[in-house]
Amino acid sequence: MSDRTPVTGANPDSARASLEALRTEIAKAVVGQDSAVTGLVVALLCRGHVLLEGVPGVAKTLLVRSLAASLELDTKRVQFTPDLMPSDVTGSLIYDARTAEFSFQAGPVFTNLLLADEINRTPPKTQSSLLEAMEERQVTVDGTPRPLPEPFLVAATQNPVEYEGTYPLPEAQLDRFLLKLTVPLPSRADEINVLARHAEGFNPRDLRAAGVRPVAGAADLEAARAAVAKTSVSAEITGYVVDICRATRESPSLSLGVSPRGATALLSTARAWAWLTGRDYVIPDDVKALALPTLRHRIQLRPEAEMEGITADSVITSVLAHVPVPR
């Protein structure tokens, strides 16, 4: 019997309530990190993938595991290491001596929610094994395309590229992620709360004991996505998104600005955020709220700009300050 709170999933309002309940469930295991939780929910609504970046020990993996425990979906985890092979992720053909035939053994990518832990600790060859899965939602082995389950979401964690033993993700793969969420060190109050929970017996390896239960499932996601698709976008908002992305291409600090794919992603995430906040139309503040996580990994700084301490976030923040906001 499921522990999930019954939710019909057919009504957009109940679907919104079930997705909002994810925050409460995740908070039973993870202290703070509200923006990262919101980003994960937005990605679910947009059928997008998420890259979480932060130093070791800030609960990146626990955050995704808590999300998985709060959803009535199939989940699998892959620890990316330097010796991981592409077939370890996608699956491979296995020879059966009894039948003298090859059969396909599915890899962990055949799931609803794939946790790709420390994805940048494996070489680019293995990283690229996820490209087809993330974009086409299928895996081709021996010329045969094999569709992945629906819904399908990759939630990948990575350490900052300055850390030893990391490989920068290729630009093509970065562009497959809808959002790049930064997971910062907790505030003093939050860190005290974390230690207090552990002193009371909290075990991050046993989320069920912490009270985390499934509160949303595939039906809720389907209803929510249908409602997001009906969220209206005015011509002025569309123009605002385009102007923001075009402004990045003209920035002297950047060697690569946001592509049209990035503009499409920003419009998609803004619509999801508008629906989550209870509106059926998008306003400029929705675009501003999702601009950083949607665009920060889609631009490249010039080397001289990096030497001056300029960051991707500061460039996007400057663009938002200078592009006229529609009235």
Side-chain angles (χ1 to χ4, degrees):
M1 181 178 295
S2 173
D3 293 320
R4 181 184 166 216
T5 303
V7 180
T8 65
N11 186 311
D13 290 333
S14 65
R16 183 189 287 115
S18 66
L19 290 175
E20 284 291 337
L22 287 175
R23 299 168 182 261
T24 303
E25 290 302 304
I26 294 173
K28 294 177 181 178
V30 180
V31 176
Q33 311 299 0
D34 290 339
S35 61
V37 173
T38 298
L40 287 167
V41 175
V42 166
L44 284 169
L45 291 173
C46 298
R47 292 182 170 87
H49 310 290
V50 178
L51 179 64
L52 296 103
E53 182 179 272
V55 299
V58 290
K60 300 186 297 297
T61 303
L62 179 61
L63 182 60
V64 180
R65 288 181 55 241
S66 301
L67 173 69
S70 305
L71 291 167
E72 203 167 46
L73 299 174
D74 182 51
T75 63
K76 290 188 176 73
R77 174 181 178 271
V78 177
Q79 179 66 52
F80 279 70
T81 56
D83 59 347
L84 192 73
M85 300 297 291
S87 59
D88 295 331
V89 179
T90 60
S92 58
L93 294 175
I94 304 297
Y95 181 73
D96 189 336
R98 294 173 297 177
T99 62
E101 293 180 351
F102 286 92
S103 61
F104 178 69
Q105 182 170 337
V109 74
F110 286 85
T111 186
N112 296 125
L113 175 59
L114 176 68
L115 169 54
D117 214 357
E118 296 189 304
I119 190 173
N120 63 335
R121 289 198 178 276
T122 197
K125 179 181 179 181
T126 303
Q127 292 173 5
S128 64
S129 66
L130 283 174
L131 285 175
E132 182 186 17
M134 294 172 70
E135 184 65 20
E136 307 295 335
R137 298 180 187 273
Q138 66 177 27
V139 169
T140 301
V141 177
D142 196 33
T144 303
R146 305 172 192 275
L148 295 172
E150 177 62 35
F152 173 68
L153 167 71
V154 174
T157 69
Q158 74 169 13
N159 296 319
V161 293
E162 295 83 5
Y163 276 65
E164 186 176 354
T166 60
Y167 300 83
L169 290 177
E171 287 78 8
Q173 177 137 23
L174 279 174
D175 203 38
R176 297 303 196 279
F177 287 101
L178 179 71
L179 300 171
K180 179 182 177 182
L181 307 173
T182 56
V183 184
L185 290 166
S187 66
R188 183 176 185 274
D190 284 344
E191 196 164 0
I192 289 174
N193 194 349
V194 169
L195 268 61
R197 289 189 180 191
H198 280 265
E200 293 169 359
F202 171 70
N203 181 2
R205 297 173 184 82
D206 189 358
L207 296 179
R208 194 175 186 84
V212 181
R213 297 289 185 271
V215 294
D220 303 303
L221 282 178
E222 185 178 351
R225 288 168 173 176
V228 169
K230 296 177 182 176
T231 303
S232 65
V233 181
S234 68
E236 290 77 14
I237 292 296
T238 303
Y240 182 50
V241 171
V242 169
D243 289 344
I244 289 172
C245 296
R246 291 180 69 85
T248 64
R249 301 170 202 163
E250 299 168 0
S251 171
S253 300
L254 301 180
S255 58
L256 178 67
V258 178
S259 69
R261 188 204 300 245
T264 303
L266 180 55
L267 185 62
S268 177
T269 56
R271 291 177 83 182
W273 176 241
W275 180 81
L276 271 176
T277 53
R279 279 179 284 102
D280 60 358
Y281 58 91
V282 180
I283 62 175
D285 283 348
D286 299 324
V287 177
K288 290 181 179 180
L290 273 299
L292 282 176
T294 308
L295 304 181
R296 60 164 56 108
H297 56 298
R298 303 176 191 272
I299 61 178
Q300 284 185 10
L301 291 167
R302 295 186 184 277
E304 54 270 28
E306 288 189 87
M307 293 177 63
E308 294 173 5
I310 296 173
T311 64
D313 282 14
S314 66
V315 171
I316 295 170
T317 301
S318 176
V319 165
L320 291 174
H322 288 90
V323 172
V325 179
R327 299 294 180 186

